[in-house]
Amino acid sequence: MKTYRSRLIVAVMTVGLIIAACSSDGGTDEVPDPTMAEGMDMQDQGTDDFSFGSPVDGAEADQVIEITATDSLSFSPESVVVESGQIVTFRVTNGGAIPHDFTLGTQEMQDEHEAEMVEMSGNMEMHDEPNMFSLEPGETKEMTWHFKDSGPIIFGCHQPGHYAAGMKGSVVINS
Ligand SMILES: [Cu+2]
């Protein structure tokens, strides 16, 4: 009985979230959320410029780095090194039987994205972005990046619970 009730509550909350998401477009009494605005800025500035570089066409790659996402909630390898100025393709394969995703970004970007995903309880339909894609079991996708001088950045999986369980790795950018 308890289980049923808590499921019902989750379902009601989910509907509430969907209604909130759908009505946010035309809402007049909407108070802008500064955290949200920052996130939108990052994606909507059009130039695809990130602090650590920019996405480019895969044909230009100097190097291909293969990464596998696993159901033990880790990436292999967990750490890669690139050079500033280098164009690198990440060829990421989901070697598991459950969905994973691959998001490249600063610690701050990872934390923000994780918070969004937790807030949506995993109900958010993820669509691929220049710095993120989702992978069905067995699927391989590529992301090519022109790196510029920056501190280390992170790749992480934000499927529910994965990032918190340590499903992340680091990209060290040598200057
Ligand atoms: Cu994952």
Side-chain angles (χ1 to χ4, degrees), residues 3-130:
T3 314
Y4 174 73
R5 275 181 76 175
S6 61
R7 267 194 204 147
L8 191 66
I9 289 165
V10 168
V12 167
M13 281 173 70
T14 305
V15 170
L17 278 172
I18 291 166
I19 289 167
C22 292
S23 61
S24 69
D25 271 348
T28 47
D29 54 349
E30 195 186 334
V31 180
D33 176 350
T35 327
M36 209 62 176
E38 242 172 65
M40 299 306 272
D41 242 20
M42 196 175 72
Q43 285 161 10
D44 287 354
Q45 59 187 357
T47 56
D48 281 340
D49 250 338
F50 292 75
S51 61
F52 49 89
S54 49
V56 293
D57 191 89
E60 300 175 56
D62 299 314
Q63 191 195 168
V64 176
I65 295 177
E66 305 218 0
I67 296 175
T68 304
T70 77
D71 287 352
S72 57
L73 306 188
S74 63
F75 287 105
S76 174
E78 286 189 318
S79 178
V80 301
V81 179
V82 302
E83 305 295 322
S84 171
Q86 198 178 29
I87 296 176
V88 177
T89 292
F90 296 102
R91 182 177 294 149
V92 190
T93 299
N94 182 353
I98 58 172
H100 291 288
D101 56 60
F102 180 86
T103 299
L104 192 66
T106 60
Q107 179 73 62
E108 194 186 4
M109 288 161 70
Q110 301 285 350
D111 291 345
E112 270 178 25
H113 185 48
E114 178 66 7
E116 278 172 17
M117 292 299 279
V118 168
E119 203 176 315
M120 295 291 167
S121 348
N123 287 316
M124 189 161 67
E125 181 75 30
M126 281 241 322
H127 43 90
D128 293 354
E129 302 275 350

